[in-house]
Amino acid sequence: WSTGKKIEMAYNEAISAKHDAREKQNIDYSFFNEEDTKRLIREKEMIDSFEDAMARKEFKVFFQPKYSPKNKELVGAEALVRWIKKDGSITNPGDFIPIFERNNIIRKLDEYIFRNVCLYLKKWKDSGKKIVPVSVNLSRASLYYKGVTEEYERITEIIGVDSKMLPIEITESAAVADSAVKEIIDSFHALGFSLQMDDFGSGYSSLASLNLMHFDTLKLDKSLVDYIGEFGGNRLIEHTISLAKELGIQITAEGVENENQVKFLKNIGCDSIQGFFYSKPVPAEDFIQTLDNPVFDMVKSDTDYVEEHLYNFNQSYYRPSFHSVVINLTKNDITDYYEYADWENMLRVKTRKFTDAVEKT
């Protein structure tokens, strides 16, 4: 409490500190500080500029391709929003989306993105492009909006796009939070939309929800994909995909960043993959080129091959057959370790020598 501060301001600061304590969950109390003031000012500026940003069309649709790991063919994409201001600066979605969700203006942005995706699909199809399904995210606020299914159907009919080309993505946390979601999912299905459970594995995962709610696709979150290469992570993903297949659910893996993850997911039957390994999210004009060249092709560098071999060598589940590995520890010190060498002892000795050399440098 500061002398001369208005009671309304002090009250708002106290409420902000209380919310901070609730969100962290591991503390019993929280103090309001100047950083909180700056954060609240930034949030208010974003909220106040939302309508003008919409009018200036600063919210752009980016597309992240989804590929089949079997034949490397383009099988779909996810529509993602980017806020590119008139001065060229870019606001991170992680900064503005949670704020828009808390203030319930995310619904308008959801509909804006959905409408624009429909317009892009219509434009591409009319120009002779072979289009693929583009999934669109539906926030929790939009999910509980009365009449959302009918509104989305109306948009597709007016623009002239088939609803089957517009899968709806719903986060796992939103899907399991309320039994009423099942009715909304069923309504979307009745209108021809397919449903995808997004971010599966990012927090708590309810396997029961896969049985209670009719999702067509399960999207494995990057936090789960990052465990590939660890024994427990491999088994968890294998069993998740196996269960989904038994239930007739397709699998998409998100956040895939290297070829070893792709190989693993391909071998256990993952249907599609999206992530930086294939492509980052790109603007519409770049995604058109992807539609024109729907088969993924990547030229490997020598470094890629070295990293792949070293990664495979360390995977207990992979067990490749190596006869030797050459390790370059210093510029003038190259050591060959052959098939029957004492790997552990040699590596310990050479690592110690390398560490000593670094310290002397």
Side-chain angles (χ1 to χ4, degrees), residues 16-55:
S16 177
K18 182 182 73 171
H19 289 165
D20 181 61
R22 279 183 177 177
E23 290 177 1
K24 292 181 178 178
Q25 295 182 344
N26 61 340
I27 59 176
D28 296 324
Y29 58 88
S30 177
F31 292 100
F32 187 89
N33 57 45
E34 289 306 315
E35 288 302 317
D36 294 319
T37 302
K38 294 177 182 178
R39 173 178 55 81
L40 291 175
I41 291 174
R42 288 195 301 269
E43 291 182 1
K44 190 174 187 309
E45 288 174 347
M46 283 191 277
I47 294 170
D48 291 344
S49 62
F50 174 74
E51 293 295 340
D52 288 340
M54 289 282 284

